[in-house]
Structures are given as C-alpha cells and as structure tokens.
Amino acid sequence: YNIAEFVKIMLDLQKEGDLNIDLVTPTTWFRQIKEAVIEAKKQGLGIPIVWNTNAYDGAKIIREVEGLVDIYLPDFKYGDDDLALKYSGVKNYVQIAKESIKEMFGQVGNLILSQDGIAKRGVIVRHLILPNNIGNSFKALEHIKETDKDIYVYLMTQYEPVYMAKDFPEINRNITKKEFERVFDYLVKLGLENGWVQELESHSYLLPDFTKDNPFS
C-alpha cells in the first residue's frame, strides 16, 4: 500500500465503527506509518492509534512517533539477555526494552479506560510465560515494575511450541499449572495489581489456524 491507500484504510475503519487502529510490529515501517497517521489525523482520524510491538524498537524510534500514538502495547519478552539471544537472536534485549517502555510511559502515562472498559490512552505491557523459564518471568516482571508500580500488565499463558521450538527441548511443551501459579504468585508479591491474566488453557484457543479461511475464529 502507498501512503494515500493506508490513510483511506484507517479512515474507512473508523467509519465502520472500529475502536482503534492496531499497528502490529510497526517498527520497520515507522517512517511511512508516521506520515500516514499525520495525514489521516488531518482528515479526521480520531480513534486511538495502537503501537503493538515487541519492545525492541528502541527509545529513539518511540520518540519519532510521540504525539501520534495513543496506546502502546509492548511485550517484555525476556528478563534475561542470554535467553533473548538464544531464542530470538537479539542482543541487549533487556536494556533496549526497558528504555523503549520507559519512553512509551513518559509519553502517554498509565492506562486510561472509558466507563465501558475500552482503552483510550496509556501503556499495557505483556509478558508471555515460557516453560522451564520461570526465573526469566520473575526478572521480566521486576523490570516492568521499575517503569511504574501501577503499570498495567497482561500476563500471558498462551505459549504453544511451534516452528523452531522443537530445536529447544526445554521449551518444546506448554507451560504447566505449577509454572503459571509460581509466576502469578510473584506478580502478586511484586504488587503489580493492574491488568489481566490469561487462563491456563489459552494456548488451546488463541493459536491461529492458517489452514482455515478465518484463522482467528
């Protein structure tokens, strides 16, 4: 799509009654997205812009979109740089993610919900529990709390071993009830009271099935 087409898509979604514009993994295209959002807002776009990211953007890129994004939805995948390198092939993940989320929070603050529970502005940080890696989750939650003790956290249990998980026996399974409970208990211990927690069985119904016409049904 070119810029004009993207602008039209956003405005059409607003006309259809969509609640927000969810930009999934937008970092690579941030320059084009920035230009399109500026133009769409000039033409009347008023619903929130969501920046849905793995938090490896870096604070510099987050500053580039300041004033254009209403809701930041980052993952804090790893509390351990060695695991980030092992499983995702990225270096210095923890520091980059912390700096990115700190910049996000500085821009839009804590989550603001409408009276009917719809997000309007702010930050929600997601963390996915990995099997055999509850220590990683403990560290990730500690880092998240450093941004703000009242930050909203979405604790996810939906891990499903697909693709290259077979190459890492320790994560080639779903998480157990005990692993979930230990991470949840630590979340409570840290005093992270705002947010949501997925059901343990979420992996069974949240994984898209791309053999179907509608993979997300």
Side-chain angles (χ1 to χ4, degrees), residues 55-75:
Y56 199 63
D57 318 72
K60 182 178 179 181
I61 287 179
I62 300 304
R63 284 192 289 270
E64 286 278 351
V65 296
E66 183 174 5
L68 300 177
V69 174
D70 303 283
I71 300 167
Y72 285 103
L73 187 59
D75 289 304

Side-chain angles (χ1 to χ4, degrees), residues 41-169:
K41 286 179 177 289
K42 288 179 181 177
Q43 295 186 32
L45 184 69
I47 57 177
I49 299 293
V50 181
W51 193 267
N52 189 335
T53 175
N54 57 22
Y56 199 63
D57 318 72
K60 182 178 179 181
I61 287 179
I62 300 304
R63 284 192 289 270
E64 286 278 351
V65 296
E66 183 174 5
L68 300 177
V69 174
D70 303 283
I71 300 167
Y72 285 103
L73 187 59
D75 289 304
F76 204 115
K77 293 178 177 291
Y78 302 106
D80 185 317
D81 280 332
D82 291 337
L83 288 183
L85 183 61
K86 180 179 181 179
Y87 296 144
S88 294
V90 296
K91 297 180 180 180
N92 198 27
Y93 176 85
V94 173
Q95 188 62 32
I96 291 173
K98 286 173 66 174
E99 290 174 356
S100 298
I101 294 171
K102 182 179 180 181
E103 177 64 28
M104 295 172 187
F105 197 87
Q107 289 182 18
V108 298
N110 213 356
L111 187 67
I112 297 173
L113 300 169
S114 66
Q115 289 186 343
D116 49 358
I118 298 172
K120 295 297 183 183
R121 182 177 174 85
V123 177
I124 305 169
V125 184
R126 297 168 298 196
H127 175 70
L128 176 67
I129 304 170
L130 296 176
N132 281 311
N133 281 285
I134 60 171
N136 173 65
S137 291
F138 291 171
K139 291 178 184 177
L141 293 172
E142 290 167 4
H143 291 311
I144 291 168
K145 185 180 178 180
E146 288 176 17
T147 300
D148 189 272
K149 64 181 179 60
D150 295 320
I151 198 166
Y152 277 71
V153 178
Y154 187 19
L155 187 63
M156 301 191 299
T157 62
Q158 68 186 62
Y159 177 79
E160 180 76 14
V162 295
Y163 190 40
M164 295 180 68
K166 65 182 185 305
D167 298 330
F168 302 97

Side-chain angles (χ1 to χ4, degrees), residues 15-42:
K15 290 177 184 177
E16 292 168 5
D18 284 35
L19 298 176
N20 58 59
I21 304 296
D22 189 1
L23 304 172
V24 181
T25 317
T27 312
T28 303
W29 309 103
F30 82 91
R31 290 185 178 86
Q32 295 89 337
I33 289 171
K34 180 178 179 179
E35 183 180 346
V37 171
I38 289 172
E39 180 58 32
K41 286 179 177 289
K42 288 179 181 177

